[in-house]
Amino acid sequence: MNLVKKGFVLWFTGLSGAGKSTLSARLAARLAEAGCPVELLDGDEVRTHLSKGLGFSREDRDINVRRIGFVARLLARHGVVAITAAISPYRDVREEQRRLTVDDGAGFCEVYMECPVEVLAERDVKGLYRKALAGEIPHFTGVSDPYEPPAHPDVVIRSDRDTVEQGMDLVLARLVELALLAPEIRPGGSS
């Protein structure tokens, strides 16, 4: 049985440290175990391999997000679940990626990993938020550079309250509601 109804992009957005990579990797593993064709495009890896040389200006950030969106659309158009996990700070470029994906005939689901900056700074093992809040790191999204939360995300995960398992359950349930995955994949399903 094919659990993927049609290829789609599962777009994670949120501030650095909000849990995008953790949750997206767990979802990718769960979908792969269930036999779904899945590919994870992590923001850090994309910056290293696909967007090397880009800086952190608005233009460079938009180019990076558009590159991620392009690759994700190519995968989704061929029946793959393309999961992206990148900050993608600007709402208009994320909405553009949704529109282009849907126009290509693939599905799109935006997951907002919401977490207050204060909580992110407390659990930041690298100390990046502390440095950014002290003005030592320029162009740090959510501190000295803007982050525009989604206006109408398909799923909101409060990573300061929700566990990874709760987040997975919310995302899988929404993907079933959007008719992108078969009901067997949802929590308690047989897959």
Side-chain angles (χ1 to χ4, degrees), residues 13-21 113-115 120 123 129 157-160:
T13 182
L15 293 173
S16 179
K20 298 177 301 298
S21 293
M113 300 294 293
E114 184 179 3
C115 191
L120 294 171
R123 67 184 187 197
Y129 278 95
I157 308 294
R158 288 293 312 260
S159 66
D160 58 329

Side-chain angles (χ1 to χ4, degrees), residues 54-125:
L54 289 178
F56 293 93
S57 67
R58 166 81 193 238
E59 181 181 7
D60 283 355
R61 290 174 193 253
D62 288 350
I63 290 169
N64 183 52
V65 170
R66 287 183 174 117
R67 287 178 181 174
I68 293 168
F70 175 74
V71 173
R73 281 193 311 280
L74 286 177
L75 292 165
R77 156 181 339 160
H78 293 284
V80 174
V81 176
I83 302 175
T84 71
I87 294 170
S88 47
Y90 302 110
R91 185 180 303 122
D92 62 331
V93 179
R94 290 191 311 266
E95 289 174 356
E96 169 190 280
Q97 296 312 302
R98 176 189 294 269
R99 189 173 51 256
L100 291 169
T101 301
V102 171
D103 287 351
D104 270 1
F108 192 95
C109 180
E110 183 179 46
V111 179
Y112 175 35
M113 300 294 293
E114 184 179 3
C115 191
V117 170
E118 301 77 35
V119 173
L120 294 171
E122 286 174 22
R123 67 184 187 197
D124 178 24
V125 295

Side-chain angles (χ1 to χ4, degrees), residues 172-184:
L172 291 172
R174 185 66 177 134
L175 292 171
V176 170
E177 288 174 12
L178 293 171
L180 297 172
L181 287 178
E184 292 79 10

Side-chain angles (χ1 to χ4, degrees), residues 5 25 39-40 55 64 77 101 108-109 125 133 141 155 164 170 175 186 189:
K5 297 297 188 179
E39 196 63 50
L40 175 59
N64 183 52
R77 156 181 339 160
T101 301
F108 192 95
C109 180
V125 295
L133 290 165
T141 304
V155 182
V164 172
L170 288 168
L175 292 171
R186 75 175 164 237

Side-chain angles (χ1 to χ4, degrees), residues 22-41:
T22 301
L23 183 54
S24 62
R26 290 281 298 278
L27 276 164
R30 168 78 193 277
L31 293 171
E33 287 168 11
C36 299
V38 61
E39 196 63 50
L40 175 59
L41 301 169

